[in-house]
C-alpha cells in the first residue's frame, strides 16, 4: 500500500466484504514520463452494468485532477471489450494508437490492444 500512496492509487469496490472490483493507477517513475500514469480496472462479471466501473473511474479522475503530479491518465484495452470502450469514451478518453492483433485469445482469434488517454 505504501507504494501506491507514493506512486499512484489503488481503489477497491466491495460488496458484503467481498472484493468485486479494482482500479490500479501507477505514475511513471521515469523522469521524462513522470507527469503521466497508466491504470487498469476490472469488475467481476456478475457486478458489471451497475455503475461500479463509472464510480471507480470518477474517483480516479477526481484524485488525478487534485494531484499536481498527474497531467495525463492512460490505459490499454482490448478492441473486443465494447463495454469498457464505451465507458472510457464516455469519460473523455481518446484513442491514441493501437497494436494490431496484439493479443491471441484463442487459436486464430486475435484482438487489437488500444491505447487511450486524456489530459486532466
Amino acid at each position: 500500500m505504501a507504494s501506491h500512496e507514493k506512486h499512484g492509487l489503488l481503489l477497491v469496490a466491495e460488496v458484503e466484504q467481498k472484493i468485486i472490483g479494482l482500479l490500479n493507477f501507477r505514475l511513471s517513475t521515469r523522469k521524462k514520463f513522470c507527469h503521466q500514469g497508466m491504470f487498469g480496472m476490472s469488475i467481476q462479471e456478475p457486478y458489471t452494468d451497475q455503475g461500479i466501473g463509472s464510480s471507480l473511474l470518477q474517483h480516479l479522475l477526481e484524485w488525478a485532477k487534485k494531484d499536481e503530479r498527474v497531467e495525463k491518465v492512460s490505459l490499454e484495452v482490448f478492441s473486443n471489450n465494447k463495454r469498457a470502450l464505451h465507458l472510457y469514451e464516455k469519460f473523455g478518453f481518446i484513442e491514441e494508437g493501437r497494436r494490431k492483433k496484439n493479443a491471441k485469445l484463442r487459436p486464430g482469434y486475435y484482438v487489437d490492444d488500444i491505447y487511450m488517454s486524456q489530459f486532466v
Side-chain angles (χ1 to χ4, degrees):
M1 287 295 192
S3 174
H4 277 91
E5 291 173 7
K6 186 175 179 182
H7 297 291
L9 180 69
L10 176 65
L11 298 173
V12 177
E14 293 180 326
V15 171
E16 298 176 359
Q17 298 181 339
K18 176 183 169 187
I19 296 175
I20 53 95
L22 256 167
L23 186 147
N24 180 22
F25 175 81
R26 184 126 174 116
L27 279 163
S28 177
T29 56
R30 297 176 62 195
K31 187 175 181 178
K32 291 181 181 179
F33 303 102
C34 66
H35 66 287
Q36 61 183 311
M38 296 277 297
F39 79 90
M41 179 170 57
S42 64
I43 310 293
Q44 289 184 13
E45 188 62 34
Y47 298 95
T48 59
D49 296 323
Q50 297 179 30
I52 296 166
S54 290
S55 180
L56 290 171
L57 196 48
Q58 184 67 41
H59 278 82
L60 168 64
L61 294 174
E62 288 172 4
W63 172 85
K65 288 174 184 174
K66 292 176 187 172
D67 191 311
E68 63 186 35
R69 301 172 297 171
V70 183
E71 296 176 33
K72 185 177 182 182
V73 176
S74 302
L75 64 104
E76 291 181 354
V77 60
F78 288 156
S79 58
N80 68 336
N81 191 342
K82 303 300 182 197
R83 186 184 303 152
L85 285 165
H86 175 74
L87 175 67
Y88 300 142
E89 289 168 356
K90 181 175 88 171
F91 275 85
F93 287 86
I94 59 166
E95 181 176 330
E96 288 194 353
R98 63 174 61 212
R99 293 185 288 182
K100 300 286 187 178
K101 295 184 176 182
N102 195 52
K104 184 176 183 179
L105 302 184
R106 61 181 176 269
Y109 182 66
Y110 301 86
V111 294
D112 297 349
D113 198 11
I114 301 173
Y115 183 85
M116 301 179 82
S117 68
Q118 74 166 271
F119 284 88
V120 294

